[in-house]
Amino acid sequence: MLGESLAAQTGLDGVEPRLVVVDNDPAGSAREVADALAGSLGWPVTYEVEPDPGIPAVRRRIVALALAADADALVFVDDDEQAPPHWLATLVGHWRRSGADAVTGPVRRRLPADAPAWARSSDLFDPTGRHVTGTRMPKGYTGNALVSRAVLDRLDVPFDDAFRHTGSSDLHFFLRAVREGFVVEWCEEAVVEETIGGARLTWGWYVRRAYRSGAGDTVARRLLAPGPRTTLEVLARAVLRTGHGVVLLPVALARPALRSLAVRRVASGVGTLAGLLGHNYEEYRRADSV
């Protein structure tokens, strides 16, 4: 799906895109897909295997390949997303006009027609929210983002192995960039889409993801600024999130639309507190990893 939508990109005058595919399977199971893309996309395609397990290792290899190719900027997009034809031109255009160091945009998640009502009312499936184009963002994620070479050159070890199996290495990366003085701007028009289904529409996945997001946020912020001030800020955030969820729970019994929000707040608050104790949910651990 992503490959087809990339092949349909328009308005790329003055842009010389290159696709980088890094496969985290030592057996190279994605090579055929990359070869097919190289034959249909019309862009140069680089394919490499990163045997070191974990998302941070893959993202570091992508950064290294971008720097080696002397790229002006690196655009991140997930392999399970679809990009409308104007997406890349819009993202690059905003970056060039604004002078921002990084640009991020919406990830709109589509739910199937038979998705449960609680999922339709949850903001977990619209995590980036809505913002006015040009808004300076305090953080970002790699589901839909452009990062300039200046940022990549400055941030050594851009994705930390503390998040090897847990996610949130991209959150930590963008928090670091902002802390270093780089400007991250929002572009509402540079939207990508992702279809949600299967196990992600269960309460079990929902609770685990909310917990992991809270824990990952804590770990990222404590790595950036260890000390009592950050600990107190995290504690306050955990209390507010959990308290908000607990207060909502009785109301949610009568208003089903609030149930997912209440559960998310509680799970996120507990995860935020767990992060202080060094615990995180290893959502992406492979069976063969250590």
Side-chain angles (χ1 to χ4, degrees):
M1 293 190 299
L2 176 62
E4 294 175 357
S5 66
L6 291 179
Q9 293 299 300
T10 61
L12 295 176
D13 295 339
V15 179
E16 298 179 4
R18 171 186 295 270
L19 179 65
V20 175
V21 179
V22 174
D23 190 350
N24 205 204
D25 179 4
S29 58
R31 183 176 295 278
E32 288 187 9
V33 176
D35 289 343
L37 283 172
S40 63
L41 191 56
W43 307 351
V45 176
T46 298
Y47 171 84
E48 289 200 8
V49 172
E50 174 50 66
D52 189 17
I55 296 174
V58 170
R59 289 174 174 157
R60 287 196 300 270
R61 175 68 73 90
I62 291 171
V63 169
L65 291 170
L67 293 175
D70 201 26
D72 296 322
L74 176 58
V75 175
F76 289 97
V77 62
D78 288 347
D79 60 2
D80 57 356
E81 295 173 346
Q82 290 181 288
H86 64 275
W87 164 70
L88 185 55
T90 303
L91 197 66
V92 173
H94 182 85
W95 171 58
R96 287 175 168 173
R97 290 190 302 272
S98 67
D101 301 295
V103 181
T104 185
V107 178
R108 300 283 180 251
R109 289 174 170 167
R110 292 182 172 182
L111 301 180
D114 60 350
W118 65 263
R120 294 191 176 280
S121 63
S122 171
D123 60 351
L124 186 62
F125 295 109
D126 186 17
T128 53
R130 314 270 171 157
H131 309 279
V132 175
T133 294
T135 299
R136 286 197 175 191
M137 303 299 290
K139 60 184 180 181
Y141 302 93
T142 54
N144 179 14
L146 178 152
V147 181
S148 71
R149 185 182 182 93
V151 179
L152 303 177
D153 282 334
R154 174 86 65 86
L155 300 184
D156 59 324
V157 191
F159 295 98
D160 198 298
D161 267 337
F163 307 94
R164 176 182 288 261
H165 305 298
T166 64
S168 296
S169 65
D170 53 347
L171 170 64
H172 179 251
F173 170 83
F174 280 101
L175 289 174
R176 283 181 65 198
V178 172
R179 189 177 180 86
E180 289 287 331
F182 290 110
V183 174
V184 180
E185 281 197 7
W186 181 263
C187 182
E188 182 72 18
E189 297 76 22
V191 61
V192 297
E193 298 176 342
E194 178 186 2
T195 299
I196 300 295
R200 292 189 175 194
L201 295 178
T202 64
W203 278 109
W205 181 90
Y206 185 80
V207 170
R208 290 191 296 271
R209 173 55 66 94
Y211 175 92
R212 195 266 286 173
S213 296
D217 185 271
T218 295
V219 173
R221 295 179 189 279
R222 294 192 75 197
L223 280 175
L224 286 173
R229 178 175 178 176
T230 298
T231 299
L232 290 174
E233 290 174 350
V234 168
L235 281 172
R237 188 178 297 110
V239 170
L240 287 173
R241 288 177 177 173
T242 307
H244 185 207
V246 169
V247 168
L248 281 176
L249 283 174
V251 182
L253 294 176
R255 297 179 60 187
L258 292 178
R259 290 174 188 169
S260 57
L261 178 61
V263 170
R264 183 186 180 189
R265 291 292 184 270
V266 172
S268 177
V270 172
T272 301
L273 184 60
L276 281 177
L277 304 176
H279 184 266
N280 205 343
Y281 170 54
E282 295 188 329
E283 183 174 2
Y284 302 111
R285 175 177 285 277
R286 282 191 341 214
D288 61 342
S289 62
V290 294

